[in-house]
């Protein structure tokens, strides 16, 4: 990549904070912004460059802050605008940037715009949302909410339905309305002026919806709206913008992230995160992951965005189960497999995202009762599936594997009461394994998952091959090893990962005489002889090869 096309976020690693579960500074059981400030030194030690802050705005919390009732103020449980300013200042001092969650596909039903819109058909805010007449006395059409049930909610007062692709307390905004769009630009500029460094855009591929044509994602005006947003808000600022797009393909990812089109820097694609569900079904319909499929999907994305666009790299977020429980091994090989998954991901081309707790190998919640799940999605799906006659044991098993609360249990800071997360009773049950899996233990052990992440993050700062090298998948049909190369000039990185518990031989055909160095491994005594390695359970190694130099270091 040309020098002048290089961007600060190409070399950055982002850390996502889900504030409610990160650190509680005042003992009310709820994580808060002051709590984040108190943990900035920890994040600095990990070495991350950017915090993506999940919503901290005013909200009735039907969907933990993804239902916003005031974009200009901070939820009192989390703090005040003064404390938010202090977070920006204190993180800036440590060289850490903040990007905010931008939730503009919908608002809360308690947002003043919606409270007005509901009043009458001719209210000036009516058209900020999407209303339709009943069809034969029923919902206008078949569109479904992602949280279960119809996407249409009836409003008695005006005898019309409004659309909501999430809970009925999250009415969708009408992006066809220019005044509405301008209100959003003003709000974004308010936050940009405050000194934030970018936005993560919640379900941004839905804003072009065309409900009458049953189109939810990738509507015909989506990219026009994003270009409009670019021009009116962050276009002149060097910010990081990442869109959450469940329905993205490699082709339309280029539309979002090709710099020439002036839209976003990158999107989160979820193709790889949907490989362990039955095709065409919901993610609650489980299936084993096939490693070969994972290799094909991730490689497809690496190849497609090599020249135009940019990838985001992630295994986890606040909606996904913990990766070590999902595709690693959260028993005997928890440490090895967590490091393997980290190595595999951070070796790729793109900007890596770490979700809080991933860096210490936190595991799924392991709740046994439906009452322990707080998430509105889980509660809705439970009712829907029970009513539809699904087997309760099967439903609970799918939650155990996939429920969003798996990622939302409080951060495990120490073996103290409530995992050191809070002095009071936490808002959500803590994973009982906190006595063993916690930050204090991780920092005491130089072989911990934490220090492996620290090393991977540091590598990205100095190793241009890691940032810009071209990706090439090796042994694409091997069912247990994921191996690939990254090349730039005469330098090459070879990333070799045993994805499973059984041992497996790996052969690497070395052509020209080269100098080889091992840059990272999850075993202390990995082999330098990369031509033929017997990989142990979850063994993962990155070699650096300098071609044309004879002899070895
Ligand atoms: O999530 C979008 C989304 O569709 C999924 O993550 C959703 O949780 C589920 O997989 C659908 O079956 C974003 C946010 O990340 C999520 O927390 C919010 O609940 C959602 O949008 C609504 O704002
Ligand atoms: Ca608190």
């Amino acid at each position: 990549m040309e020098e002048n096309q290089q961007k600060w976020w190409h070399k950055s690693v982002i850390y996502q904070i889900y504030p409610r579960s990160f650190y509680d500074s005042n003992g009310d059981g709820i994580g808060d912004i002051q709590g984040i400030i108190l943990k900035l030194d920890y994040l600095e030690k990990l070495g991350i460059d950017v915090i993506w802050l999940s919503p901290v705005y005013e909200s009735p919390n039907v969907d933990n802050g993804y239902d916003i009732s005031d974009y200009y103020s901070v939820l009192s449980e989390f703090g005040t605008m003064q404390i938010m300013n202090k977070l920006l200042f204190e993180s800036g001092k440590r060289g850490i940037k903040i990007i905010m969650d931008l939730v503009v596909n919908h608002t809360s039903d308690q947002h003043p715009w919606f409270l007005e819109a509901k009043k009458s058909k001719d209210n000036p805010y009516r058209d900020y949302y999407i209303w339709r007449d009943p069809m034969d006395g029923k919902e206008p059409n078949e569109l479904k909410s992602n949280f279960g049930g119809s996407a249409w909610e009836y409003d008695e007062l005006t005898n019309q339905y409004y659309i909501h692709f999430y809970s009925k307390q999250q009415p969708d905004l009408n992006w066809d309305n220019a005044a509405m769009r301008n209100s959003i630009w003003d709000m974004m500029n308010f936050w940009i002026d405050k000194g934030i460094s970018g936005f993560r855009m919640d379900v941004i591929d839905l804003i072009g919806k065309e409900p009458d044509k049953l189109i939810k994602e990738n509507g015909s005006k989506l990219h026009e709206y994003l270009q409009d947003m670019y021009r009116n808000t962050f276009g002149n600022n060097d910010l990081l913008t990442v869109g959450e797009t469940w329905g993205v393909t490699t082709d339309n990812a280029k539309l979002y992230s090709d710099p020439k089109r002036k839209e976003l820097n990158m999107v989160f694609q979820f193709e790889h995160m949907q490989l362990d569900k039955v095709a065409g079904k919901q993610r609650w319909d489980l299936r084993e992951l096939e490693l070969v499929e994972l290799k094909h999907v991730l490689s497809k994305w690496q190849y497609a965005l090599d020249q135009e666009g940019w990838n985001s790299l992630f295994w986890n977020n606040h909606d996904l189960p913990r990766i070590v429980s999902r595709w690693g091994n959260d028993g005997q090989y928890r440490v090895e497999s967590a490091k393997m998954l980290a190595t595999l991901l951070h070796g790729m081309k793109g900007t890596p995202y770490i979700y809080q707790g991933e860096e210490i190998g936190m595991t799924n919640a392991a709740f046994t009762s439906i009452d322990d799940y707080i998430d509105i999605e889980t509660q809705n799906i439970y009712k829907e599936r029970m009513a539809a006659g699904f087997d309760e044991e099967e439903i609970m098993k799918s939650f155990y594997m996939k429920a969003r609360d798996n990622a939302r249990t409080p951060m495990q800071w120490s073996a103290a009461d409530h995992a050191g997360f809070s002095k009071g009773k936490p808002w959500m049950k803590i994973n009982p394994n906190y006595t063993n899996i916690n930050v204090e233990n991780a920092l005491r052990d130089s072989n911990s998952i934490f220090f492996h992440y620290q090393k991977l993050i540091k590598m990205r700062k100095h190793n241009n091959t890691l940032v810009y090298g071209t990706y090439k998948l090796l042994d694409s049909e091997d069912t247990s090893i994921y191996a690939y190369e990254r090349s730039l000039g005469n330098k090459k990185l070879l990333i070799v990962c045993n994805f499973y518990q059984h041992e497996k031989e790996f052969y690497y055909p070395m052509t020209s005489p080269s100098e080889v160095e091992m840059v990272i491994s999850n075993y202390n005594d990995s082999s330098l002889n990369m031509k033929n390695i017997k990989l142990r359970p979850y063994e993962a190694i990155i070699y650096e090869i300098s071609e044309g130099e004879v002899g070895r270091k």
Side-chain angles (χ1 to χ4, degrees):
M1 192 159 294
E2 300 286 317
E3 203 59 45
N4 63 1
Q5 290 175 319
Q6 298 192 0
K7 296 286 183 195
W8 61 268
W9 40 264
H10 288 159
K11 287 187 161 76
S12 298
V13 176
I14 324 293
Y15 186 92
Q16 183 191 352
I17 291 184
Y18 196 67
R20 183 162 289 267
S21 295
F22 191 61
Y23 184 58
D24 173 22
S25 71
N26 63 354
D28 66 355
I30 298 171
D32 44 56
I33 299 175
Q34 179 60 25
I36 301 174
I37 295 173
L38 294 174
K39 296 298 182 183
L40 285 171
D41 290 341
Y42 167 74
L43 297 177
E44 189 181 13
K45 188 179 178 93
L46 180 59
I48 54 102
D49 306 276
V50 182
I51 293 170
W52 149 22
L53 192 56
S54 273
V56 292
Y57 315 92
E58 193 68 59
S59 164
N61 278 317
V62 168
D63 188 19
N64 284 350
Y66 285 87
D67 49 322
I68 297 170
S69 53
D70 183 359
Y71 293 104
Y72 292 91
S73 63
V74 169
L75 181 67
S76 58
E77 288 170 337
F78 288 159
T80 59
M81 196 54 93
Q82 277 72 34
I83 297 181
M84 186 63 214
N85 293 338
K86 187 167 166 222
L87 172 64
L88 282 162
F89 177 76
E90 289 294 328
S91 52
K93 268 201 334 213
R94 293 165 176 83
I96 296 175
K97 299 179 160 72
I98 307 262
I99 69 170
M100 298 292 280
D101 220 305
L102 182 76
V103 188
V104 291
N105 173 66
H106 45 267
T107 66
S108 158
D109 64 347
Q110 300 306 307
H111 193 289
W113 296 340
F114 192 72
L115 295 177
E116 281 300 310
K118 260 182 20 173
K119 286 183 179 164
S120 68
K121 284 187 183 174
D122 54 12
N123 186 283
Y125 288 95
R126 183 72 173 183
D127 193 45
Y128 268 43
Y129 298 86
I130 299 169
W131 304 88
R132 294 289 183 272
D133 290 327
M135 192 69 160
D136 306 325
K138 288 205 293 273
E139 289 83 12
N141 61 37
E142 293 302 300
L143 282 170
K144 293 272 177 281
S145 156
N146 288 347
F147 285 170
S150 169
W152 296 101
E153 179 68 14
Y154 183 61
D155 173 57
E156 221 163 291
L157 185 70
T158 56
N159 184 33
Q160 280 194 320
Y161 286 84
Y162 66 86
I163 205 163
H164 61 90
F165 283 131
Y166 292 89
S167 76
K168 63 177 187 226
Q169 295 92 337
Q170 292 164 294
D172 279 47
L173 285 164
N174 177 18
W175 276 74
D176 290 338
N177 182 306
M180 193 291 291
R181 293 200 302 274
N182 283 327
S183 307
I184 299 292
W185 311 155
D186 288 347
M187 178 275 284
M188 290 174 71
N189 287 324
F190 166 84
W191 284 98
I192 293 172
D193 293 344
K194 240 181 201 313
I196 64 159
S197 298
F199 296 102
R200 173 268 185 187
M201 301 183 184
D202 195 62
V203 290
I204 204 70
D205 57 346
L206 302 189
I207 64 172
K209 65 187 70 76
E210 299 173 67
D212 304 316
K213 296 185 187 161
L214 301 176
I215 295 175
K216 217 161 150 176
E217 291 153 336
N218 302 315
S220 57
K221 289 203 173 146
L222 167 63
H223 294 284
E224 187 183 314
Y225 294 150
L226 288 175
Q227 288 171 4
D228 203 18
M229 179 189 281
Y230 180 101
R231 279 191 301 272
N232 284 288
T233 63
F234 50 79
N236 292 322
N237 305 63
D238 191 14
L239 299 189
L240 187 167
T241 51
V242 51
E244 186 205 23
T245 54
W246 279 78
V248 75
T249 63
T250 46
D251 284 337
N252 59 33
K254 291 180 203 168
L255 300 181
Y256 290 102
S257 68
D258 181 350
K260 288 195 288 294
R261 293 177 47 85
K262 299 184 188 297
E263 294 188 20
L264 307 180
N265 299 147
M266 59 188 121
V267 292
F268 292 122
Q269 65 83 14
F270 290 86
E271 215 181 323
H272 64 303
M273 298 320 291
Q274 302 187 66
L275 292 173
D276 56 2
K277 67 166 195 168
V278 180
K281 291 270 188 80
Q282 288 186 296
R283 72 176 199 278
W284 316 108
D285 301 292
L286 309 175
R287 162 170 98 85
E288 275 284 305
L289 173 78
E290 300 275 351
L291 178 63
V292 168
E293 282 181 16
L294 180 69
K295 296 199 304 195
H296 288 176
V297 168
L298 288 177
S299 302
K300 180 177 81 180
W301 281 88
Q302 289 285 302
Y303 293 132
L305 301 189
D306 186 48
Q307 294 301 321
E308 311 148 65
W310 189 256
N311 270 297
S312 62
L313 309 169
F314 69 97
W315 292 129
N316 282 289
N317 66 32
H318 63 294
D319 295 331
L320 300 171
R322 294 282 181 182
I323 197 62
V324 69
S325 297
R326 187 178 187 177
W327 294 341
N329 176 319
D330 63 9
Q332 190 187 350
Y333 294 108
R334 186 182 64 89
V335 173
E336 290 81 359
S337 67
K339 290 179 183 175
M340 181 277 288
L341 289 160
T343 310
L344 177 51
L345 194 78
H346 285 242
M348 292 190 187
K349 185 168 176 180
T351 299
Y353 290 74
I354 299 169
Y355 177 69
Q356 68 186 41
E358 178 182 336
E359 78 280 16
I360 57 165
M362 276 178 64
T363 66
N364 275 357
F367 292 153
T368 46
S369 158
I370 183 64
D371 301 328
D372 290 333
Y373 289 99
I374 296 179
D375 183 12
I376 183 170
E377 178 184 51
T378 305
Q379 290 296 338
N380 284 357
I381 301 288
Y382 181 80
K383 283 182 214 123
E384 187 174 271
R385 293 214 153 189
M386 286 299 280
F390 282 80
D391 177 40
E392 181 166 16
E393 217 174 295
E394 286 298 309
I395 303 175
M396 290 306 291
K397 190 176 157 213
S398 71
F399 293 163
Y400 184 83
M401 300 299 293
K402 295 281 181 74
R404 307 197 298 180
D405 282 343
N406 284 310
R408 299 177 180 184
T409 60
M411 181 76 179
Q412 296 164 202
W413 292 102
S414 73
D417 284 353
H418 311 307
F421 160 74
S422 172
K423 293 261 183 292
K425 186 174 182 287
W427 73 281
M428 185 182 191
K429 262 196 169 175
I430 290 187
N431 193 315
N433 64 21
Y434 74 92
T435 49
N436 170 35
I437 303 173
N438 62 58
V439 169
E440 210 171 271
N441 279 351
L443 295 179
R444 258 201 296 258
D445 171 9
S446 59
N447 271 322
S448 68
I449 302 167
F450 176 92
F451 287 111
H452 193 82
Y453 271 89
Q454 186 192 56
K455 209 166 168 186
L456 287 167
I457 296 167
K458 212 178 267 166
M459 267 173 71
R460 190 163 290 270
K461 303 282 169 302
H462 309 296
N463 195 318
N464 254 334
T465 319
L466 188 59
V467 182
Y468 293 113
T470 293
Y471 172 98
K472 184 178 157 208
L473 179 65
L474 304 175
D475 298 344
S476 65
E477 301 311 310
D478 189 300
T479 53
S480 36
I481 293 173
Y482 194 145
Y484 60 93
E485 290 173 340
R486 303 282 310 282
S487 346
L488 193 72
N490 69 339
K491 294 265 190 212
K492 216 176 239 179
L493 292 171
L494 170 65
I495 294 95
V496 194
C497 301
N498 181 359
F499 209 81
Y500 297 102
Q501 185 171 330
H502 49 258
E503 295 195 346
K504 187 77 200 283
E505 305 249 355
F506 173 76
Y507 300 95
Y508 183 69
M510 286 268 277
T511 42
S512 52
S514 312
E515 189 177 308
V516 178
E517 205 185 322
M518 191 188 303
V519 272
I520 195 167
S521 161
N522 60 352
Y523 281 75
N524 285 327
D525 55 349
S526 285
S527 167
L528 238 184
N529 176 14
M530 30 118 61
K531 281 187 224 169
N532 178 7
I533 324 167
K534 185 181 255 170
L535 291 165
R536 288 163 285 183
Y538 301 100
E539 189 161 1
I541 313 167
I542 302 184
Y543 297 100
E544 185 161 354
I545 307 163
S546 307
E547 280 172 346
E549 290 167 45
V550 187
R552 284 185 177 161
K553 260 194 197 158

